[in-house]
Amino acid sequence: MVRRIESVSSDARLTGRGALLTTASAALDAGDSVLLTGEPGIGRSTSAATLAAERTAERAGTLVLRCAPAEAERHLPFLGMIDLFSEVGDPAFEVLSSHEQALLRAALHRSAARDAAQDAARGRSYGSAYDDVLTLRMAVLKALTALCERSPVLLVLDDAQWLDRPSAEALAFVARRARQLPLTAIAAVRTPNGPAGAGSGQAEALCPGPVVALAVPPMTEREVAALLAGQGGPAWPRPVLARLHTASGGNPYTALELSRALAEESRATGRDPSGPLPIPPALRRLLLARLAPLTPRARRTLLAASAAASPTVALLRRAGCDTAPADVHEAVLLGIVEPSPAGAVRFTQPLMPRVVYEDAAPAGRRRVHAALAEAADDPVERAHHLASLSPGWNAETAAALTAAATAARRRGAPAIAARLGQLAADHTPSGDPAADADRRLTAAEDAVAAGDYALARAIAHEVLAESARAADRVRAWIVVLDSSGQAMAEVADVFPQALEDARDDPELLARLHYRLSWRAWLVEGSAAAALTHAADSAVLALRAGDRRTELLALTQQSALEFYLGRPGAERTLTRALAAPQDPLVLFDHNGPVFLKHRRHLLHDRLDDARTELRALVYTVRYRGSAESLCQCLSGLAQVEILRGRCEAALDLAHQALRVTEQAGLSQGPAWYAVALAEAAGGAADRALAAADRARRHSEDDDDQLFLPRALHAEGHVRLLRGEPDAAVHALQRVRLLETGQGQGDPAVRRWQPDLAEALVATGCADEAAELLAETRAQAVRLGRHGLLAVLDRAAALVTEARGDPDAAVARLELTAARLAALPYRLEEARTHLVLGRLHARRGAPVPARTALAEAARLFTRAGAHPWLTVTTAALDDLGVPASAAAVPVGLDALTATEHRVAVLVAQGASNREIAARLTISVKTVEAALTRAYRKLAVRSRVSLARAVMTRGGTR
C-alpha cells in the first residue's frame, strides 16, 4: 500500500524542511517507510540524513544500514548490499544454513568462492543458478529478520535510482515479506531520471510497506535567503534574492552555486549584481549532463525552444522542427521539459534554456533565430528574433522592437516591454538621440511598472548622463523618484535638480508637484502641505493638457481632503472619476477607482468597496504594476476583515506580501496588512511580529504615511493580547503623528476606539472620554455612522469606569443592535465580548454567558481565531466550556468550495475522488477540509459528516 502525498507545504513561516521532516517523522513513527523524491540538489540526501539522525537520537538502539550508490557503479553486482551490511559482522549470519551463509558471504565479498553468488546475480540458467537466486534472497531476509529481533532496523537508501539490479531485487524481495518486522526504510530517489535510473515506482518496491511518498519541495524565497545567510554569503538586496530564487527554481544547491558565482564576479569586476547571473562551470556541467541522453534531433528542437520568447510546439513546427511533438515528449520523459496539454514548452529548470542556447554554435543560433522570425505570427516574438539577427544600429529593427514593446505593454507584460524597449534603444541609430532617449525612458517606466526598480534607475541614470533636453531629464528624475517606493526620503536631493530642469514648463512642473505632494505626506508628515502641491499639480496639468497627471493629482487632492475632513473631497473625487479617463490611471492604486473603494468604506458600504477592489485586482494582475497589485490586495484584505471573512483576509494579505517581496518593493504596507489579518484570523504572536516588521520598515524608509498605521496595528494587537499599557504607548504615538499630519476624518484610520478602550483599561477614563468626545464631534459632522457605533462601545467602558455599570450595559446592548444592522461583524462580536465581560464583573453569570456565547458564535463564523481564544478564556473564567456555550455554526460559514468538499466527505468520497470530481488538486481538498474542520469545530471526517447531516447539507 502506498499513501502518496503529492506536495508538502513550504509555508514561508516554516524554516527549511520543517514541514517535510515533520510529515516524514510521523510516518516513520507509524511504522511506515518514507520515499523522498526530487530533482538533483533539491535536498533529498540532506533530508534523508536528517531523518535518520533524528530517528537514532529519538529511538536509541535503532540499527541504521546505509547505502548511497553512484551512477558509475550501478553495474557492479551486490555493491548496494555490500554497503548496507558493511557495519554488520559475520556473527549476525549464524542463523543461516551453511549454504545460505556461503552465498551471502560470497555476495558481500567476504569469501573467495564467489561463483555461485555471481551466477545468482546474473540469473544464469545452468546448474542450480535459479535455486541460488532464491536461496540468496532468503538469506538476506533471514539476516535482516535476525537483526530486527535485536532492535528496530532502518534502511537508508540514498540515490536509490542507481542501486545495482541484484541488490534492488533482493531488497524488493525482503520488502514484500517484512510487514511484521520492525523494519522501515528511508529511500531517496532522483526525479526526473534518465532511462538508466530506477523510477520512484521501482524505488517504492525497495521499501517495506506502507510507503509514504513525499516530494521534496523547492525552497521559498525566504528559505533561500535564510540558506544563503546561513552559509555566510553576501547580504543580497531583495531584488537580487528574488532573481536567485527564480533562477534556481528554489533548488538549494543551484541557489548556493549561483550566489557564490555572483559574489566572486562582483568582487572581481565590481559589476552591479543586478545584471545577468553567472552560471558556474560545475552547475553548467550538471545541467548539460541532463541533456546528454537526448537524441541530436531533440537537441536541435530544444535549441529552438530556448531561443524563442514564448515557445510552443506549433511555433517550433512552423520553424522547421517537423518532429517537435516527439522531441518535446522525449524531453518530458527525461524531466527537462514540463508536460503541457496546451502545447507550451516550459523547461523544468529555469537556467536550462540559457545553458542549451549558450552551448550551441553561433551559426546554429542564427539559423534558429532566422527560422523563428519567419515562423512567428506574434510581433513580440518576431521582434525578439530580429534583434538577435541584427546586432548594432538598425532603424527598421528598432521600430519593430518598439512596436513589440507596445504590444507587450498592452498585454499587461511590462517586464517584457522593458526588455524590448531597451533592445529598441540599443538598435536606434546614433543620429537620432531624441528617439534613443524616449525609448530608454519608456523602457525605464515599464521597468517601474514591473517592479524592476534597479533596472529602471540604471536606465534613468544613463539618460541623465547623456541627455541635455529638459523633458528627458525630468522624465528620468521622475523614474528615480517613482522607483524609490515608500523611501522617498532617500531621494530628497532629486527634487531641486528636477525643478531646475523643469524651469517654467507647466507639464513638467505638474508632474513634479504631484510627487512633491507625496513627499510632503510621506517624508514631512504634512497633509496640508501635500494638499497644496496636489492642487497645484492639478491646475498645472489642466493648463498643459496633461490629463493623466491631472487625474492623478485630483485623486491625491481628494484623498487628502478626505483625510483632513474637508467638505470638497466628494466633489474632487467626482472630477477625478469623470471622462475622459486614462487606463493607466484608472487601474492604478493612486487612481480614482482605488480611492472610490475608500469612499465606500467611509460610508459603511463594505460590499461596494469589495466589489470595486475585486474588479480592480483582476485587472491589475494583468495590466497594472506590482505596487498597485500589492496595494489592492492589502486593501481587499482589510475590507474582508471588516466584513468578518478572516481567512480570506489572511490569504490576501500574504499574497500582497509575496508580491512585495518578489518585486523588491518597500515592505511596510504589506506587513501592516499581514499584521491586521493575523490579528483577525491568524495568531496574535504572528500579528505582533508582523506589526513590528511593518513599523521597522516604515521607520527605515522614513515613511510618515504608513508609520502610524503600523503603530495602530501594534496597539491593536497589544490590546487583543491583554497588554493595555503597551497598547496605550503605541496608540498614543499614532495619535501624535495623526494629529500632527492634520487628520480631520477619524473614519479614514479608525485607531481612536482602540486607544479609548486601552486608556480605560489603564485607569485613564477621563482622557478616554476627552478623546471620544473630540472624535465623536468629527464623526457626527461627517456622518460616519459605523465609527459612531464603535465609539459607543468604548464610551460604555468609560461609563462603567465612572461607576454606572447599568447604564454601560444598556449602552452596549444598544450598540450591539446598531452594529447588527451594519456590516461590521467583528465589531459586533467585540461588542458582545465587552458586554459579557462587563456582566461578569457585575456578578451576573447568566447574561454574561449569553453575551459571550454570542461573541463566540460570531467569532467562529468569521474565522476570528485570536478573538475566539480571548472569548473562550472569558467563558472558562465563568466555569463554562466554550463548546457548551457556543452556538453551533451552520454550513453557511463555509465557502462554496469548503461546502462542496464537506458534502462529498459526508457522502463517503476520498480526497482524491473529491479532487477529481471538483477538478481541483488534492492539496486544495486537504486545505478546504482543514478550514471546514476549524469553522465547524470538528476533528474528523466522521464528525464532519455528522455536522453536515445535522446542520443541513445544502444551502
Side-chain angles (χ1 to χ4, degrees):
M1 177 178 70
V2 177
R3 298 207 313 274
R4 182 171 301 280
I5 299 176
E6 299 295 342
S7 61
V8 178
S9 170
S10 57
D11 190 296
R13 290 168 292 186
L14 297 175
T15 302
R17 298 288 182 251
L20 174 76
L21 296 175
T22 298
T23 304
S25 294
L28 292 169
D29 288 341
D32 299 348
S33 292
V34 171
L35 175 65
L36 301 174
T37 64
E39 64 180 15
I42 199 67
R44 294 167 293 107
S45 299
T46 303
S47 299
T50 302
L51 282 170
E54 289 178 352
R55 199 78 186 151
T56 53
E58 292 171 2
R59 299 200 174 187
T62 298
L63 175 63
V64 180
L65 306 180
R66 308 171 189 267
C67 71
E71 181 179 7
E73 300 167 345
R74 67 184 185 275
H75 300 301
L76 300 177
F78 293 115
L79 185 59
M81 298 299 299
I82 292 170
D83 289 342
L84 278 176
F85 283 96
S86 61
E87 302 296 325
V88 178
D90 284 350
F93 305 149
E94 291 175 357
V95 297
L96 308 180
S97 69
S98 57
H99 183 48
E100 289 171 337
Q101 283 194 50
L103 280 174
L104 182 55
R105 295 180 70 249
L108 299 179
H109 280 232
R110 300 185 187 183
S111 167
R114 297 194 299 270
D115 291 345
Q118 290 172 349
D119 287 346
R122 291 190 290 266
R124 290 167 61 178
S125 58
Y126 55 88
S128 60
Y130 284 140
D131 289 339
D132 288 343
V133 169
L134 178 59
T135 303
L136 177 60
R137 294 178 187 175
M138 287 298 300
V140 174
L141 176 60
K142 289 182 180 179
L144 286 172
T145 300
L147 292 172
C148 286
E149 290 174 354
R150 302 178 189 174
S151 67
V153 176
L154 174 66
L155 306 178
V156 180
L157 313 174
D158 194 11
D159 272 330
Q161 73 277 357
W162 305 131
L163 196 63
D164 62 274
R165 181 179 170 184
S167 296
E169 290 175 345
L171 286 174
F173 179 86
V174 170
R176 289 191 293 270
R177 292 161 177 80
R179 296 190 182 276
Q180 304 304 317
L181 298 177
L183 177 67
T184 54
I186 302 171
V189 60
R190 176 183 300 185
T191 55
N193 311 299
S200 60
Q202 292 170 275
E204 286 170 1
L206 307 177
C207 306
V211 180
V212 175
L214 298 171
V216 180
M219 284 187 167
T220 65
E221 184 180 326
R222 275 186 248 180
E223 290 168 352
V224 166
L227 171 72
L228 298 181
Q231 295 292 319
W236 298 117
R238 180 68 62 183
V240 176
L241 282 172
R243 289 170 54 242
L244 286 168
H245 177 258
T246 300
S248 67
N251 184 300
Y253 169 79
T254 305
L256 281 168
E257 290 295 310
L258 289 173
S259 178
R260 288 168 183 155
L262 182 60
E264 289 173 6
E265 182 180 85
S266 297
R267 283 194 298 268
T269 65
R271 188 176 67 83
D272 188 335
S274 63
L277 294 172
I279 303 178
L283 183 56
R284 187 181 295 275
R285 287 193 297 272
L286 178 65
L287 293 173
L288 287 172
R290 294 181 62 181
L291 299 171
L294 285 171
T295 61
R297 184 190 67 190
R299 189 78 173 258
R300 287 192 295 271
T301 297
L302 287 192
L303 171 60
S306 71
S310 302
T312 64
V313 172
L315 173 63
L316 298 177
R317 292 187 71 175
R318 291 200 303 272
C321 301
D322 298 333
T323 58
D327 298 339
V328 170
H329 180 67
E330 181 182 337
V332 168
L333 293 177
L334 291 170
I336 299 168
V337 169
E338 295 178 0
S340 172
V345 180
R346 287 189 291 270
F347 289 85
T348 56
Q349 215 297 327
L351 292 173
M352 187 65 82
R354 183 172 154 195
V355 169
V356 171
Y357 185 82
E358 293 176 354
D359 189 56
R365 297 181 207 162
R366 285 194 297 272
R367 283 194 298 271
V368 162
H369 281 299
L372 288 167
E374 184 70 24
D377 52 11
D378 175 66
V380 174
E381 182 77 47
R382 185 169 184 273
H384 168 74
H385 300 297
L386 288 175
S388 300
L389 289 168
S390 306
W393 298 333
N394 185 300
E396 182 180 347
T397 301
L401 287 164
T402 301
T406 302
R409 194 177 307 113
R410 287 173 179 165
R411 294 176 187 171
I416 295 175
R419 180 170 58 82
L420 291 171
Q422 264 194 299
L423 288 171
D426 291 341
H427 284 76
T428 301
S430 59
D432 194 356
D436 176 82
D438 179 67
R439 285 166 176 163
R440 289 192 189 282
L441 288 168
T442 302
E445 290 159 356
D446 286 329
V448 169
D452 193 343
Y453 292 155
L455 174 62
R457 284 191 290 269
I459 297 173
H461 284 297
E462 286 177 8
V463 174
L464 287 167
E466 297 173 3
S467 178
R469 294 177 68 242
D472 292 343
R473 294 185 64 79
V474 172
R475 275 182 75 186
W477 288 126
I478 287 173
V479 166
V480 174
L481 292 169
D482 290 351
S483 62
S484 68
Q486 306 298 121
M488 291 195 77
E490 297 177 3
V491 290
D493 60 330
V494 167
F495 284 103
Q497 301 174 71
L499 287 167
E500 182 180 346
D501 284 330
R503 297 183 180 88
D504 57 357
D505 186 318
E507 182 175 0
L508 300 180
L509 287 171
R511 297 178 185 179
L512 289 173
H513 274 285
Y514 172 69
R515 286 156 180 88
L516 279 166
S517 173
W518 279 109
R519 182 181 182 277
W521 205 357
L522 284 167
V523 180
E524 298 170 7
S526 174
L531 177 59
T532 299
H533 282 298
D536 289 346
S537 175
V539 171
L540 288 164
L542 178 62
R543 186 192 309 169
D546 181 357
R547 181 61 173 165
R548 177 178 298 176
T549 302
E550 182 189 6
L551 291 170
L552 288 168
L554 286 171
T555 303
Q556 175 80 332
Q557 180 182 340
S558 177
L560 287 159
E561 288 170 343
F562 276 122
Y563 179 80
L564 292 166
R566 301 288 176 83
E570 298 277 358
R571 292 193 301 274
T572 307
L573 180 56
T574 300
R575 289 172 60 199
L577 288 165
Q581 278 295 330
D582 185 304
L584 292 181
V585 175
L586 197 62
F587 305 124
D588 190 272
H589 67 286
N590 292 321
V593 174
F594 187 81
L595 183 58
K596 189 178 175 183
H597 103 269
R598 290 182 173 169
R599 179 178 67 180
H600 287 315
L601 293 181
L602 294 176
H603 294 292
D604 308 318
R605 298 191 293 262
L606 301 192
D607 288 344
D608 291 339
R610 179 174 181 265
T611 299
E612 294 282 3
L613 276 180
R614 289 189 69 185
L616 197 54
V617 166
Y618 178 82
T619 305
V620 169
R621 282 191 191 278
Y622 297 99
R623 300 179 61 181
S625 69
E627 187 173 8
S628 289
L629 179 57
C630 172
Q631 293 288 350
C632 290
L633 289 168
S634 297
L636 188 53
Q638 293 167 57
V639 172
E640 295 291 21
I641 291 170
L642 293 171
R643 295 177 69 242
R645 306 285 291 182
C646 298
E647 293 197 8
L650 265 175
D651 179 60
L652 290 162
H654 282 285
Q655 282 187 52
L657 182 60
R658 286 194 295 272
V659 171
T660 296
E661 291 177 335
Q662 290 165 4
L665 300 169
S666 300
Q667 294 184 31
W671 279 113
Y672 164 70
V674 170
L676 293 181
E678 288 286 355
D685 290 345
R686 292 200 300 266
L688 187 60
D692 181 65
R693 296 193 69 167
R695 176 185 55 77
R696 286 189 285 108
H697 278 290
S698 297
E699 288 175 339
D700 289 345
D701 292 339
D702 198 12
D703 180 354
Q704 299 301 302
L705 179 57
F706 268 94
L707 178 57
R709 302 187 199 187
L711 289 167
H712 177 205
E714 180 184 344
H716 175 77
V717 177
R718 295 288 189 186
L719 188 61
L720 165 65
R721 286 162 55 97
E723 303 168 5
D725 290 314
V728 167
H729 178 74
L731 293 169
Q732 288 286 30
R733 286 188 65 190
V734 177
R735 185 181 189 180
L736 183 64
L737 288 166
E738 296 283 29
T739 302
Q741 291 184 26
Q743 182 182 11
D745 187 341
V748 172
R749 302 177 196 163
R750 306 183 182 202
W751 49 267
Q752 300 87 347
D754 280 342
L755 176 54
E757 188 173 335
L759 285 169
V760 172
T762 56
C764 302
D766 289 342
E767 186 178 353
E770 179 186 342
L771 170 65
L772 290 170
E774 178 185 327
T775 307
R776 175 177 294 281
Q778 294 174 322
V780 168
R781 177 175 63 86
L782 297 168
R784 305 304 187 224
H785 303 293
L787 176 61
L788 285 167
V790 180
L791 290 172
D792 277 345
R793 183 180 67 223
L797 291 172
V798 173
T799 301
E800 182 201 13
R802 287 177 168 176
D804 194 351
D806 292 338
V809 166
R811 192 163 195 172
L812 283 172
E813 289 174 343
L814 180 61
T815 298
R818 289 173 61 195
L819 285 169
L822 290 165
Y824 300 103
R825 295 287 72 82
L826 287 193
E827 298 294 358
E828 180 189 358
R830 285 182 65 182
T831 302
H832 285 289
L833 172 60
V834 170
L835 178 59
R837 285 170 158 176
L838 196 159
H839 278 305
R841 288 193 293 270
R842 293 173 66 225
V846 175
R849 282 196 297 271
T850 302
L852 291 173
E854 179 62 9
R857 184 187 73 83
L858 290 170
F859 285 136
T860 301
R861 183 168 182 175
H865 306 298
W867 286 104
L868 183 60
T869 299
V870 172
T871 308
T872 301
L875 284 164
D876 289 342
D877 290 341
L878 290 174
V880 180
S883 58
V887 178
V889 177
L891 295 186
D892 56 351
L894 305 182
T895 65
T897 299
E898 292 162 2
H899 181 268
R900 289 196 295 269
V901 168
V903 170
L904 289 171
V905 165
Q907 294 172 357
S910 68
N911 287 5
R912 192 170 297 279
E913 290 168 341
I914 295 170
R917 192 175 305 183
L918 300 182
T919 62
I920 57 178
S921 69
V922 175
K923 183 178 179 181
T924 301
V925 173
E926 293 168 349
L929 270 177
T930 299
R931 293 193 298 270
Y933 287 166
R934 186 185 303 155
K935 290 179 179 180
L936 299 178
V938 299
R939 296 185 178 182
S940 67
R941 298 173 80 91
V942 173
S943 299
L944 179 61
R946 187 180 300 118
V948 169
M949 290 184 288
T950 58
R951 303 181 198 180
T954 60
R955 59 175 180 176

